[in-house]
Amino acid sequence: MKLTDSVNVLLLGSGGREHAFAWKISQSPRVARLFIAPGNAGTAALGTNVDLSPSNFGSIKQFVINNSINLVVVGPEESLVKGIYDFFHEDSDIHHVPVIGPSALGAKLEGSKDFAKAFMARHGIPTAAYRSFTKETLDKGYAFLESLKAPYVLKADGLAAGKGVLIVDDLDEAKRELREMLGGKFGAAGNTVVIEECLKGIECSVFVATDGEHFAVLPEAKDYKRIGEGDTGLNTGGMGAVSPVPFADEAFMQRVRDEIIVPTVAGLRAEKIDYKGFIFIGLMNDGGKPYVIEYNVRMGDPETEVVLPRIESDIMGLFEGMAFGTLDKHTLKISPRTATTVVCVSGGYPGDYAKGMAISGLDQPSESTVFHAGTALKGGKVTTAGGRVLAVTSLGDTIADALARSYATIDRIDYEGKYCRRDIGQDLERLVKA
Ligand code: AMP
Ligand code: GLY
């Protein structure tokens, strides 16, 4: 089976990741119309924004029927965890429309850390040793913490908007956090808490597209999670990303493929988990040996803003392979160039911040692609509408070269409270030079 020659696409989401998807999708000669729900000011220039929530499945169904949509691409995890794939699959009016994303069961790889850890254990996938606890087994949780060495890693089982992971140096504090998490600190997401061994090494993320049987490895990336330079301060959604990652060399990527990707896809198949989507594998590289930190069931943000610009082939071919189980017949063409993205945020983020600030300088010529993360159109003007506002992506022959372009573009853009980290990629540049 194939997609038609003129595909109407509905893309769900509103961040920088979705702007990057819209940018890549709109380059395809196979696309007739592109709708983005709800989208942002950036996606509005590439297709039609639709005022629909990605988790309002009933309205999405109506829109898909009314607009002869042939393909649905899902950006955020929430819709997947809530079962949008299954909703389409089980409804005879729309089951012919492929959805790029896993079934609800597959989405538990991100939606439940306990499920993900047990899946890895069943399939011999290298990850930190762990045990899970509930309110009823609090005392056993204390005993398990006592058996570990600091630092202690505690994770709320469910989705907690990226805030559910704590890394604590002190045993008493770890016990207190465990008690508070099980007591509702992160709501129902913390009804079960995973405690795991702390891995050491350097992190990177690997992205895989799968049809549930075959897979394609997309460019890897490193992201920068903390708000402050030198990786200090609070965690954010991501302040920048670089691809490729110099330490993810051929030997490392071969181990990732053999020890992690192959058993993950085989495990999905063996467990009859319907999965036609992306797998985002957060990895620790410990002296060349990869360990899985976490799975996400979607692309990363801002990682997508460096991964897609390095893909030279038409993305509709990739989606077609994922949707119809023919990924083995698809060849992915990847650029050897380096992509960097630097995220501009609103002052105060990840705490409280203002919205509605006018953004200037977006129309000036630049050597970058400016992806909108949190923007809106107000009276024809682009304004800030989120914590992460823009992701400024550039290609270059080296990390330094790409970064110079991103920062030059950022210097021409302004809004009240603009902040970005000036040290994105510098750790990798030091590694390359060493
Ligand atoms: P997660 O939400 O699972 O990605 O965790 C957030 C961050 O916590 C990761 O990106 C890592 O930096 C860190 N982390 C999570 N689990 C571990 C672990 N077992 N050992 C060391 N660091 C970890
Ligand atoms: N940048 C991390 C994420 O998308 O989860």
Side-chain angles (χ1 to χ4, degrees):
M1 283 235 292
K2 285 172 100 51
L3 290 168
T4 65
D5 286 333
S6 74
V7 186
N8 292 328
V9 183
L10 174 63
L11 169 65
L12 302 182
S14 63
R17 168 181 54 208
E18 285 75 23
H19 188 182
F21 266 123
W23 171 83
K24 188 68 185 159
I25 291 168
S26 65
Q27 288 167 11
S28 172
R30 300 180 62 186
V31 172
R33 299 203 67 188
L34 169 62
F35 299 93
I36 311 95
N40 60 37
T43 63
L46 300 168
T48 308
N49 284 354
V50 193
D51 190 14
L52 275 181
S53 155
S55 42
N56 186 345
F57 298 168
S59 306
I60 291 171
K61 169 182 170 177
Q62 220 42 61
F63 185 85
V64 163
I65 293 170
N66 295 347
N67 294 279
S68 311
I69 298 296
N70 311 105
L71 179 72
V72 179
V73 179
V74 185
E77 63 276 15
E78 198 190 341
S79 311
L80 297 166
V81 172
K82 286 185 174 158
I84 191 161
Y85 177 91
D86 312 75
F87 178 85
F88 270 68
H89 207 64
E90 287 156 14
D91 187 323
S92 59
D93 295 339
I94 47 173
H95 78 240
H96 60 283
V97 182
V99 174
I100 299 298
S103 61
L105 185 56
K108 283 183 83 171
L109 284 180
E110 176 165 359
S112 165
K113 302 218 186 255
D114 180 56
F115 177 88
K117 295 295 280 192
F119 177 89
M120 286 184 257
R122 283 196 294 279
H123 300 289
I125 296 164
T127 187
Y130 84 107
R131 281 182 59 191
S132 299
F133 301 93
T134 60
K135 232 189 237 161
E136 289 68 38
T137 54
L138 179 63
D139 286 336
K140 290 201 173 103
Y142 291 157
F144 186 61
L145 282 171
E146 282 163 14
S147 76
L148 296 173
K149 281 202 250 11
Y152 307 93
V153 182
L154 293 93
K155 301 183 172 184
D157 175 55
L159 292 183
K163 296 191 175 74
V165 176
L166 298 174
I167 300 180
V168 181
D169 284 320
D170 179 73
L171 179 62
D172 287 332
E173 195 188 334
K175 287 181 179 174
R176 194 185 67 239
E177 288 291 358
L178 175 64
R179 196 165 55 240
E180 286 178 7
M181 285 168 91
L182 291 171
K185 178 174 179 172
F186 296 114
N191 286 351
T192 297
V193 172
V194 170
I195 300 179
E196 60 182 48
E197 158 197 44
C198 193
L199 297 167
K200 51 185 190 328
I202 177 159
E203 284 181 50
C204 73
S205 300
V206 168
F207 300 90
V208 178
T210 184
D211 58 18
E213 183 176 355
H214 320 97
F215 63 84
V217 183
L218 311 184
E220 77 286 353
K222 182 175 194 299
D223 80 338
Y224 294 81
K225 290 202 172 82
R226 304 294 195 90
I227 187 73
E229 285 167 13
D231 286 320
T232 54
L234 293 173
N235 254 328
T236 70
M239 297 296 291
V242 175
S243 176
V245 180
F247 63 78
D249 55 14
E250 221 167 288
F252 179 74
M253 289 304 287
Q254 191 60 46
R255 290 192 71 166
V256 171
R257 189 179 270 266
D258 296 344
E259 296 169 28
I260 294 169
I261 302 174
V262 168
T264 297
V265 175
L268 291 171
R269 207 170 161 218
E271 298 191 22
K272 298 193 169 46
I273 297 176
D274 214 350
Y275 203 119
K276 298 173 170 61
F278 295 100
I279 315 174
F280 160 174
I281 310 173
L283 290 173
M284 192 70 94
N285 176 344
D286 181 2
K289 177 158 175 55
Y291 290 87
V292 177
I293 297 173
E294 63 163 352
Y295 289 115
N296 294 303
V297 299
R298 49 168 175 92
M299 289 296 291
D301 193 355
E303 292 90 333
T304 306
E305 292 94 299
V306 292
V307 170
L308 294 185
R310 291 191 58 221
I311 296 182
E312 292 177 343
S313 24
D314 183 344
I315 198 159
M316 296 307 282
L318 183 72
F319 289 150
E320 187 166 66
M322 293 164 82
F324 298 118
T326 53
L327 254 191
D328 54 327
K329 297 186 182 68
H330 177 75
T331 320
L332 194 66
K333 198 158 176 276
I334 294 174
S335 161
R337 301 192 81 200
T338 292
T340 60
T341 197
V342 178
V343 176
C344 296
V345 304
S346 301
Y349 173 82
D352 292 340
Y353 54 84
K355 289 185 192 174
M357 306 298 168
I359 307 174
S360 64
L362 287 171
D363 298 331
Q364 301 191 43
S366 90
E367 290 180 295
S368 310
T369 306
V370 180
F371 294 118
H372 292 215
T375 66
L377 278 172
K378 246 202 228 160
K381 284 216 169 80
V382 181
T383 60
T384 67
R388 292 191 290 173
V389 177
L390 303 167
V392 180
T393 297
S394 310
L395 287 167
D397 293 329
T398 61
I399 296 174
D401 185 26
L403 282 171
R405 292 191 178 131
S406 287
Y407 286 118
T409 300
I410 286 174
D411 289 339
R412 283 187 224 117
I413 294 173
D414 203 20
Y415 55 86
E416 204 181 311
K418 181 183 91 171
Y419 168 76
C420 70
R421 270 179 66 170
R422 293 273 160 185
D423 68 337
I424 301 302
Q426 278 180 11
D427 54 337
L428 295 178
E429 271 187 81
R430 280 195 295 273
L431 270 181
V432 173
K433 282 194 197 122

mmCIF file with all atom_site columns, all heavy atoms in Angstrom, residues 277-294:
data_model
loop_
_atom_site.group_PDB
_atom_site.id
_atom_site.type_symbol
_atom_site.label_atom_id
_atom_site.label_alt_id
_atom_site.label_comp_id
_atom_site.label_asym_id
_atom_site.label_entity_id
_atom_site.label_seq_id
_atom_site.pdbx_PDB_ins_code
_atom_site.Cartn_x
_atom_site.Cartn_y
_atom_site.Cartn_z
_atom_site.occupancy
_atom_site.B_iso_or_equiv
_atom_site.pdbx_formal_charge
_atom_site.auth_seq_id
_atom_site.auth_comp_id
_atom_site.auth_asym_id
_atom_site.auth_atom_id
_atom_site.pdbx_PDB_model_num
ATOM 1   N N   . GLY A 1 277 ? 5.641  4.535  14.465 1.00 0.00 ? 277 GLY A N   1
ATOM 2   C CA  . GLY A 1 277 ? 5.958  5.897  14.884 1.00 0.00 ? 277 GLY A CA  1
ATOM 3   C C   . GLY A 1 277 ? 7.441  6.057  15.158 1.00 0.00 ? 277 GLY A C   1
ATOM 4   O O   . GLY A 1 277 ? 8.265  5.250  14.721 1.00 0.00 ? 277 GLY A O   1
ATOM 5   N N   . PHE A 1 278 ? 7.742  7.116  15.891 1.00 0.00 ? 278 PHE A N   1
ATOM 6   C CA  . PHE A 1 278 ? 9.130  7.402  16.245 1.00 0.00 ? 278 PHE A CA  1
ATOM 7   C C   . PHE A 1 278 ? 9.439  6.879  17.646 1.00 0.00 ? 278 PHE A C   1
ATOM 8   O O   . PHE A 1 278 ? 8.577  6.909  18.525 1.00 0.00 ? 278 PHE A O   1
ATOM 9   C CB  . PHE A 1 278 ? 9.376  8.914  16.214 1.00 0.00 ? 278 PHE A CB  1
ATOM 10  C CG  . PHE A 1 278 ? 9.238  9.505  14.837 1.00 0.00 ? 278 PHE A CG  1
ATOM 11  C CD1 . PHE A 1 278 ? 8.073  10.164 14.458 1.00 0.00 ? 278 PHE A CD1 1
ATOM 12  C CD2 . PHE A 1 278 ? 10.263 9.368  13.902 1.00 0.00 ? 278 PHE A CD2 1
ATOM 13  C CE1 . PHE A 1 278 ? 7.938  10.693 13.178 1.00 0.00 ? 278 PHE A CE1 1
ATOM 14  C CE2 . PHE A 1 278 ? 10.132 9.902  12.619 1.00 0.00 ? 278 PHE A CE2 1
ATOM 15  C CZ  . PHE A 1 278 ? 8.973  10.562 12.262 1.00 0.00 ? 278 PHE A CZ  1
ATOM 16  N N   . ILE A 1 279 ? 10.658 6.415  17.834 1.00 0.00 ? 279 ILE A N   1
ATOM 17  C CA  . ILE A 1 279 ? 11.149 6.081  19.170 1.00 0.00 ? 279 ILE A CA  1
ATOM 18  C C   . ILE A 1 279 ? 12.354 6.984  19.427 1.00 0.00 ? 279 ILE A C   1
ATOM 19  O O   . ILE A 1 279 ? 13.284 7.024  18.623 1.00 0.00 ? 279 ILE A O   1
ATOM 20  C CB  . ILE A 1 279 ? 11.595 4.608  19.296 1.00 0.00 ? 279 ILE A CB  1
ATOM 21  C CG1 . ILE A 1 279 ? 10.571 3.658  18.661 1.00 0.00 ? 279 ILE A CG1 1
ATOM 22  C CG2 . ILE A 1 279 ? 11.832 4.242  20.765 1.00 0.00 ? 279 ILE A CG2 1
ATOM 23  C CD1 . ILE A 1 279 ? 11.044 2.201  18.631 1.00 0.00 ? 279 ILE A CD1 1
ATOM 24  N N   . PHE A 1 280 ? 12.272 7.703  20.518 1.00 0.00 ? 280 PHE A N   1
ATOM 25  C CA  . PHE A 1 280 ? 13.341 8.637  20.910 1.00 0.00 ? 280 PHE A CA  1
ATOM 26  C C   . PHE A 1 280 ? 14.000 7.979  22.113 1.00 0.00 ? 280 PHE A C   1
ATOM 27  O O   . PHE A 1 280 ? 13.374 7.782  23.140 1.00 0.00 ? 280 PHE A O   1
ATOM 28  C CB  . PHE A 1 280 ? 12.642 9.949  21.218 1.00 0.00 ? 280 PHE A CB  1
ATOM 29  C CG  . PHE A 1 280 ? 13.336 10.988 22.064 1.00 0.00 ? 280 PHE A CG  1
ATOM 30  C CD1 . PHE A 1 280 ? 12.718 12.228 22.222 1.00 0.00 ? 280 PHE A CD1 1
ATOM 31  C CD2 . PHE A 1 280 ? 14.552 10.806 22.704 1.00 0.00 ? 280 PHE A CD2 1
ATOM 32  C CE1 . PHE A 1 280 ? 13.279 13.238 22.996 1.00 0.00 ? 280 PHE A CE1 1
ATOM 33  C CE2 . PHE A 1 280 ? 15.127 11.802 23.481 1.00 0.00 ? 280 PHE A CE2 1
ATOM 34  C CZ  . PHE A 1 280 ? 14.481 13.008 23.633 1.00 0.00 ? 280 PHE A CZ  1
ATOM 35  N N   . ILE A 1 281 ? 15.246 7.552  21.915 1.00 0.00 ? 281 ILE A N   1
ATOM 36  C CA  . ILE A 1 281 ? 15.941 6.809  22.967 1.00 0.00 ? 281 ILE A CA  1
ATOM 37  C C   . ILE A 1 281 ? 16.962 7.727  23.626 1.00 0.00 ? 281 ILE A C   1
ATOM 38  O O   . ILE A 1 281 ? 17.921 8.159  22.982 1.00 0.00 ? 281 ILE A O   1
ATOM 39  C CB  . ILE A 1 281 ? 16.624 5.548  22.398 1.00 0.00 ? 281 ILE A CB  1
ATOM 40  C CG1 . ILE A 1 281 ? 15.622 4.753  21.544 1.00 0.00 ? 281 ILE A CG1 1
ATOM 41  C CG2 . ILE A 1 281 ? 17.171 4.680  23.527 1.00 0.00 ? 281 ILE A CG2 1
ATOM 42  C CD1 . ILE A 1 281 ? 16.250 3.575  20.810 1.00 0.00 ? 281 ILE A CD1 1
ATOM 43  N N   . GLY A 1 282 ? 16.728 8.048  24.894 1.00 0.00 ? 282 GLY A N   1
ATOM 44  C CA  . GLY A 1 282 ? 17.695 8.828  25.672 1.00 0.00 ? 282 GLY A CA  1
ATOM 45  C C   . GLY A 1 282 ? 18.752 7.861  26.176 1.00 0.00 ? 282 GLY A C   1
ATOM 46  O O   . GLY A 1 282 ? 18.437 6.860  26.816 1.00 0.00 ? 282 GLY A O   1
ATOM 47  N N   . LEU A 1 283 ? 20.030 8.137  25.847 1.00 0.00 ? 283 LEU A N   1
ATOM 48  C CA  . LEU A 1 283 ? 21.097 7.180  26.128 1.00 0.00 ? 283 LEU A CA  1
ATOM 49  C C   . LEU A 1 283 ? 22.176 7.774  26.999 1.00 0.00 ? 283 LEU A C   1
ATOM 50  O O   . LEU A 1 283 ? 22.435 8.982  26.942 1.00 0.00 ? 283 LEU A O   1
ATOM 51  C CB  . LEU A 1 283 ? 21.791 6.804  24.815 1.00 0.00 ? 283 LEU A CB  1
ATOM 52  C CG  . LEU A 1 283 ? 21.036 5.971  23.809 1.00 0.00 ? 283 LEU A CG  1
ATOM 53  C CD1 . LEU A 1 283 ? 21.868 5.879  22.536 1.00 0.00 ? 283 LEU A CD1 1
ATOM 54  C CD2 . LEU A 1 283 ? 20.789 4.582  24.381 1.00 0.00 ? 283 LEU A CD2 1
ATOM 55  N N   . MET A 1 284 ? 22.828 6.916  27.776 1.00 0.00 ? 284 MET A N   1
ATOM 56  C CA  . MET A 1 284 ? 24.068 7.297  28.458 1.00 0.00 ? 284 MET A CA  1
ATOM 57  C C   . MET A 1 284 ? 25.188 6.509  27.778 1.00 0.00 ? 284 MET A C   1
ATOM 58  O O   . MET A 1 284 ? 25.067 5.292  27.592 1.00 0.00 ? 284 MET A O   1
ATOM 59  C CB  . MET A 1 284 ? 23.971 6.925  29.936 1.00 0.00 ? 284 MET A CB  1
ATOM 60  C CG  . MET A 1 284 ? 25.051 7.520  30.779 1.00 0.00 ? 284 MET A CG  1
ATOM 61  S SD  . MET A 1 284 ? 24.863 9.320  30.948 1.00 0.00 ? 284 MET A SD  1
ATOM 62  C CE  . MET A 1 284 ? 23.942 9.422  32.472 1.00 0.00 ? 284 MET A CE  1
ATOM 63  N N   . ASN A 1 285 ? 26.237 7.207  27.407 1.00 0.00 ? 285 ASN A N   1
ATOM 64  C CA  . ASN A 1 285 ? 27.425 6.558  26.851 1.00 0.00 ? 285 ASN A CA  1
ATOM 65  C C   . ASN A 1 285 ? 28.441 6.458  27.977 1.00 0.00 ? 285 ASN A C   1
ATOM 66  O O   . ASN A 1 285 ? 29.044 7.439  28.387 1.00 0.00 ? 285 ASN A O   1
ATOM 67  C CB  . ASN A 1 285 ? 27.964 7.410  25.691 1.00 0.00 ? 285 ASN A CB  1
ATOM 68  C CG  . ASN A 1 285 ? 29.267 6.872  25.103 1.00 0.00 ? 285 ASN A CG  1
ATOM 69  O OD1 . ASN A 1 285 ? 29.945 6.042  25.711 1.00 0.00 ? 285 ASN A OD1 1
ATOM 70  N ND2 . ASN A 1 285 ? 29.624 7.363  23.930 1.00 0.00 ? 285 ASN A ND2 1
ATOM 71  N N   . ASP A 1 286 ? 28.609 5.241  28.514 1.00 0.00 ? 286 ASP A N   1
ATOM 72  C CA  . ASP A 1 286 ? 29.570 5.014  29.599 1.00 0.00 ? 286 ASP A CA  1
ATOM 73  C C   . ASP A 1 286 ? 30.781 4.310  28.996 1.00 0.00 ? 286 ASP A C   1
ATOM 74  O O   . ASP A 1 286 ? 30.776 3.092  28.832 1.00 0.00 ? 286 ASP A O   1
ATOM 75  C CB  . ASP A 1 286 ? 28.906 4.162  30.699 1.00 0.00 ? 286 ASP A CB  1
ATOM 76  C CG  . ASP A 1 286 ? 29.861 3.914  31.867 1.00 0.00 ? 286 ASP A CG  1
ATOM 77  O OD1 . ASP A 1 286 ? 31.000 4.431  31.837 1.00 0.00 ? 286 ASP A OD1 1
ATOM 78  O OD2 . ASP A 1 286 ? 29.467 3.202  32.810 1.00 0.00 ? 286 ASP A OD2 1
ATOM 79  N N   . GLY A 1 287 ? 31.769 5.110  28.636 1.00 0.00 ? 287 GLY A N   1
ATOM 80  C CA  . GLY A 1 287 ? 33.000 4.559  28.058 1.00 0.00 ? 287 GLY A CA  1
ATOM 81  C C   . GLY A 1 287 ? 32.745 3.739  26.800 1.00 0.00 ? 287 GLY A C   1
ATOM 82  O O   . GLY A 1 287 ? 33.409 2.721  26.591 1.00 0.00 ? 287 GLY A O   1
ATOM 83  N N   . GLY A 1 288 ? 31.772 4.136  25.996 1.00 0.00 ? 288 GLY A N   1
ATOM 84  C CA  . GLY A 1 288 ? 31.508 3.438  24.734 1.00 0.00 ? 288 GLY A CA  1
ATOM 85  C C   . GLY A 1 288 ? 30.372 2.441  24.839 1.00 0.00 ? 288 GLY A C   1
ATOM 86  O O   . GLY A 1 288 ? 29.918 1.904  23.833 1.00 0.00 ? 288 GLY A O   1
ATOM 87  N N   . LYS A 1 289 ? 29.909 2.150  26.075 1.00 0.00 ? 289 LYS A N   1
ATOM 88  C CA  . LYS A 1 289 ? 28.775 1.224  26.210 1.00 0.00 ? 289 LYS A CA  1
ATOM 89  C C   . LYS A 1 289 ? 27.486 2.017  26.413 1.00 0.00 ? 289 LYS A C   1
ATOM 90  O O   . LYS A 1 289 ? 27.395 2.861  27.300 1.00 0.00 ? 289 LYS A O   1
ATOM 91  C CB  . LYS A 1 289 ? 28.997 0.286  27.404 1.00 0.00 ? 289 LYS A CB  1
ATOM 92  C CG  . LYS A 1 289 ? 27.787 -0.636 27.613 1.00 0.00 ? 289 LYS A CG  1
ATOM 93  C CD  . LYS A 1 289 ? 28.100 -1.886 28.381 1.00 0.00 ? 289 LYS A CD  1
ATOM 94  C CE  . LYS A 1 289 ? 26.843 -2.716 28.669 1.00 0.00 ? 289 LYS A CE  1
ATOM 95  N NZ  . LYS A 1 289 ? 26.031 -3.076 27.492 1.00 0.00 ? 289 LYS A NZ  1
ATOM 96  N N   . PRO A 1 290 ? 26.485 1.754  25.561 1.00 0.00 ? 290 PRO A N   1
ATOM 97  C CA  . PRO A 1 290 ? 25.231 2.509  25.694 1.00 0.00 ? 290 PRO A CA  1
ATOM 98  C C   . PRO A 1 290 ? 24.249 1.889  26.692 1.00 0.00 ? 290 PRO A C   1
ATOM 99  O O   . PRO A 1 290 ? 24.088 0.664  26.739 1.00 0.00 ? 290 PRO A O   1
ATOM 100 C CB  . PRO A 1 290 ? 24.647 2.439  24.280 1.00 0.00 ? 290 PRO A CB  1
ATOM 101 C CG  . PRO A 1 290 ? 25.183 1.185  23.688 1.00 0.00 ? 290 PRO A CG  1
ATOM 102 C CD  . PRO A 1 290 ? 26.499 0.892  24.371 1.00 0.00 ? 290 PRO A CD  1
ATOM 103 N N   . TYR A 1 291 ? 23.610 2.754  27.481 1.00 0.00 ? 291 TYR A N   1
ATOM 104 C CA  . TYR A 1 291 ? 22.526 2.356  28.378 1.00 0.00 ? 291 TYR A CA  1
ATOM 105 C C   . TYR A 1 291 ? 21.314 3.232  28.074 1.00 0.00 ? 291 TYR A C   1
ATOM 106 O O   . TYR A 1 291 ? 21.472 4.434  27.832 1.00 0.00 ? 291 TYR A O   1
ATOM 107 C CB  . TYR A 1 291 ? 22.921 2.605  29.843 1.00 0.00 ? 291 TYR A CB  1
ATOM 108 C CG  . TYR A 1 291 ? 23.991 1.681  30.349 1.00 0.00 ? 291 TYR A CG  1
ATOM 109 C CD1 . TYR A 1 291 ? 25.333 2.004  30.167 1.00 0.00 ? 291 TYR A CD1 1
ATOM 110 C CD2 . TYR A 1 291 ? 23.668 0.492  30.996 1.00 0.00 ? 291 TYR A CD2 1
ATOM 111 C CE1 . TYR A 1 291 ? 26.334 1.149  30.615 1.00 0.00 ? 291 TYR A CE1 1
ATOM 112 C CE2 . TYR A 1 291 ? 24.660 -0.361 31.447 1.00 0.00 ? 291 TYR A CE2 1
ATOM 113 C CZ  . TYR A 1 291 ? 25.991 -0.034 31.256 1.00 0.00 ? 291 TYR A CZ  1
ATOM 114 O OH  . TYR A 1 291 ? 26.976 -0.875 31.690 1.00 0.00 ? 291 TYR A OH  1
ATOM 115 N N   . VAL A 1 292 ? 20.124 2.649  28.154 1.00 0.00 ? 292 VAL A N   1
ATOM 116 C CA  . VAL A 1 292 ? 18.920 3.449  27.940 1.00 0.00 ? 292 VAL A CA  1
ATOM 117 C C   . VAL A 1 292 ? 18.566 4.178  29.232 1.00 0.00 ? 292 VAL A C   1
ATOM 118 O O   . VAL A 1 292 ? 18.412 3.554  30.284 1.00 0.00 ? 292 VAL A O   1
ATOM 119 C CB  . VAL A 1 292 ? 17.719 2.575  27.500 1.00 0.00 ? 292 VAL A CB  1
ATOM 120 C CG1 . VAL A 1 292 ? 16.459 3.436  27.356 1.00 0.00 ? 292 VAL A CG1 1
ATOM 121 C CG2 . VAL A 1 292 ? 18.038 1.865  26.196 1.00 0.00 ? 292 VAL A CG2 1
ATOM 122 N N   . ILE A 1 293 ? 18.430 5.504  29.156 1.00 0.00 ? 293 ILE A N   1
ATOM 123 C CA  . ILE A 1 293 ? 17.916 6.289  30.290 1.00 0.00 ? 293 ILE A CA  1
ATOM 124 C C   . ILE A 1 293 ? 16.400 6.297  30.233 1.00 0.00 ? 293 ILE A C   1
ATOM 125 O O   . ILE A 1 293 ? 15.721 6.115  31.230 1.00 0.00 ? 293 ILE A O   1
ATOM 126 C CB  . ILE A 1 293 ? 18.453 7.734  30.253 1.00 0.00 ? 293 ILE A CB  1
ATOM 127 C CG1 . ILE A 1 293 ? 19.977 7.747  30.389 1.00 0.00 ? 293 ILE A CG1 1
ATOM 128 C CG2 . ILE A 1 293 ? 17.818 8.560  31.363 1.00 0.00 ? 293 ILE A CG2 1
ATOM 129 C CD1 . ILE A 1 293 ? 20.580 9.127  30.196 1.00 0.00 ? 293 ILE A CD1 1
ATOM 130 N N   . GLU A 1 294 ? 15.878 6.523  29.032 1.00 0.00 ? 294 GLU A N   1
ATOM 131 C CA  . GLU A 1 294 ? 14.422 6.556  28.891 1.00 0.00 ? 294 GLU A CA  1
ATOM 132 C C   . GLU A 1 294 ? 14.049 6.399  27.428 1.00 0.00 ? 294 GLU A C   1
ATOM 133 O O   . GLU A 1 294 ? 14.852 6.654  26.530 1.00 0.00 ? 294 GLU A O   1
ATOM 134 C CB  . GLU A 1 294 ? 13.869 7.890  29.399 1.00 0.00 ? 294 GLU A CB  1
ATOM 135 C CG  . GLU A 1 294 ? 14.390 9.066  28.579 1.00 0.00 ? 294 GLU A CG  1
ATOM 136 C CD  . GLU A 1 294 ? 13.606 10.347 28.744 1.00 0.00 ? 294 GLU A CD  1
ATOM 137 O OE1 . GLU A 1 294 ? 12.549 10.314 29.379 1.00 0.00 ? 294 GLU A OE1 1
ATOM 138 O OE2 . GLU A 1 294 ? 14.062 11.368 28.217 1.00 0.00 ? 294 GLU A OE2 1
#
